[in-house]
Amino acid sequence: PEWRGRRSSRHLGRRNAVMSRIELLPASYGSYKANLHCHTTLSDGRLTPEEVKAHYQANGYSVVAFTDHNVLVDHSDLTDERFLALTGIEVDTDSFLYGRKHDFNQTCHLCAILRDPARPVPIYRAEQYTGEAIRAKVDEFHRGGYIVNYNHPTWSAEGPDEFLTYGDFDGMEIYNHSAELENNNGNSQNECILALRMLKRPIRMIAADDNHEGRGCEDDSCGGWVVFKAPELSYPAIIEAYDRRAFYASTGPEIHGCFIEDGVFHLDCSPVRRIHVMGQGINPIHRAFSPQNDLTHVEFPMDAVPENARFLWVQLTDGAGRKAWMNPYFL
């Protein structure tokens, strides 16, 4: 369902007449910290699935999507009342295997997560490194009952000529912790805003570890995550929260709740230094700053949103430079 509340019968402008409460992140729901991109000894990770579960639980996580390279394994046996294992796979299509587009190696990595682990459908990488082949693969994944997240575009050396042709992938990694630590190229915020502007549709923003537990220069776990807001910790509830975009991505700050009520936007968070509310333009729709790093609330009237903004996208930065990103709310 879309979060588009009832509007007043009086014409008060395109956005300033919202008369009901629109919950973007329901404060009354539970918060479930999740890593949606994870590797184990089943591919190129250093921890077994059981060790991954123990490690992430010890660091406050409730959900891990196990997405080993080109290996689909059901980890439902790891699920209990405090931990949810999502069944997934990372498929990679590499230019050096299927013909180079440039004189450097480009690659497309997709994390596919099953909506229902009881109905696994085998999936494989695209047979060519072309936009058409990868777009067809995304469609195939959707028909097979998978969520599809597009991974680390900066690390993959891919630009808009590539990812804008990949079809209706559901989410996009705005931050990849392993790539950031090992190669200093895990932040893909520029690619994400370009995708939002050009594709003109909601895209879920994912921060993830892509963890291999020290295969590179240092421990690459617990540095990027999403937090789902859901009524319970269950496979259907977390998938529904993903579909509704009822989660946020973070490398540090917490977002406690976000809603629009009677034409006013509200957000509550842990103490941060800066809050930016962006649209499709280059300047913020709204911004707040505190040199004391003590911003915990922001609100502004929706009638201040320009007609051509198209979407609202909240970004938070704390005093240590760590960031959090809401999913875009399309107007």
Side-chain angles (χ1 to χ4, degrees):
E2 294 290 335
W3 304 296
R4 300 178 181 272
R6 277 187 304 108
R7 297 186 183 273
S8 167
S9 58
R10 290 193 303 136
H11 179 67
L12 298 177
R14 190 159 66 97
R15 300 185 179 91
N16 64 342
V18 177
M19 301 305 291
S20 65
R21 184 178 173 108
I22 305 170
E23 292 282 1
L24 303 184
L25 282 175
S28 61
Y29 280 0
S31 296
Y32 302 105
K33 191 174 182 180
N35 178 24
L36 297 183
H37 188 170
C38 168
H39 300 290
T40 75
T41 50
L42 293 174
S43 60
D44 58 352
R46 287 192 172 178
L47 298 183
T48 67
E50 293 77 13
E51 290 171 331
V52 165
K53 173 185 175 178
H55 180 56
Y56 275 88
Q57 273 197 300
N59 283 277
Y61 285 71
S62 302
V63 181
V64 170
F66 291 85
T67 56
D68 277 297
H69 289 283
N70 305 302
V71 178
L72 180 66
V73 177
D74 182 2
H75 294 288
S76 297
D77 59 308
L78 298 179
T79 295
D80 56 37
E81 66 278 3
R82 297 187 304 111
F83 183 83
L84 176 64
L86 300 178
T87 299
I89 182 174
E90 184 177 21
V91 293
D92 45 75
T93 303
D94 302 315
S95 63
F96 60 85
L97 290 178
Y98 298 105
R100 298 174 186 269
K101 181 175 180 180
H102 299 290
D103 59 356
F104 52 89
N105 291 338
Q106 290 180 289
T107 184
C108 174
H109 289 204
L110 304 171
C111 273
I113 299 171
L114 270 172
R115 293 179 172 277
D116 183 353
R119 298 181 179 179
V121 176
I123 56 176
Y124 308 96
R125 59 165 64 101
E127 295 180 357
Q128 293 180 326
Y129 180 71
T130 66
E132 182 180 7
I134 294 169
R135 182 168 63 252
K137 188 59 60 172
V138 170
D139 292 342
E140 178 186 335
F141 294 164
H142 282 153
R143 291 193 301 271
Y146 290 87
I147 288 165
V148 182
N149 293 327
Y150 169 57
N151 298 339
H152 45 59
T154 306
W155 179 89
S156 298
E158 292 196 306
D161 288 351
E162 287 77 41
F163 62 74
L164 293 181
T165 70
Y166 289 166
D168 293 332
F169 53 84
D170 302 292
M172 188 171 182
E173 282 188 353
I174 193 166
Y175 178 80
N176 182 289
H177 192 52
S178 178
E180 185 67 14
L181 291 184
E182 189 168 352
N183 303 294
N184 197 37
N185 56 10
N187 190 314
S188 296
Q189 182 167 308
N190 290 340
E191 288 83 352
C192 286
I193 187 63
L194 183 60
L196 288 174
R197 289 170 178 160
M198 302 304 293
L199 295 177
K200 302 179 182 179
R201 62 177 178 84
I203 299 171
R204 293 154 186 84
M205 298 300 158
I206 309 296
D209 279 339
D210 192 5
N211 51 295
H212 306 84
E213 273 71 45
R215 184 192 60 152
C217 58
E218 51 190 307
D219 182 6
D220 55 2
S221 60
C222 305
W225 58 86
V226 302
V227 176
F228 289 104
K229 300 293 285 185
E232 64 180 19
L233 180 63
S234 68
Y235 212 113
I238 293 301
I239 295 299
E240 182 183 5
Y242 179 95
D243 287 341
R244 295 181 60 241
R245 306 192 299 281
F247 65 90
Y248 65 91
S250 183
T251 63
E254 300 176 358
I255 303 176
H256 303 310
C258 183
F259 62 93
I260 301 170
E261 187 171 42
D262 294 338
V264 179
F265 180 96
H266 301 261
L267 180 138
D268 295 292
C269 60
S270 61
V272 296
R273 187 177 179 87
R274 298 190 300 274
I275 299 175
H276 290 85
V277 183
M278 305 298 296
Q280 69 171 339
I282 61 174
N283 294 317
I285 294 167
H286 183 85
R287 60 185 166 192
F289 169 73
S290 168
Q292 289 79 34
N293 192 47
D294 60 359
L295 276 176
T296 59
H297 179 79
V298 67
E299 63 181 69
F300 61 89
M302 291 293 289
D303 61 8
V305 178
E307 286 291 318
N308 65 348
R310 189 175 292 160
F311 55 82
L312 302 181
W313 187 23
V314 181
Q315 303 162 20
L316 288 71
T317 309
D318 69 12
R322 300 174 301 180
K323 292 184 175 291
W325 303 267
M326 288 271 290
N327 284 304
Y329 169 65
F330 269 66
L331 302 164

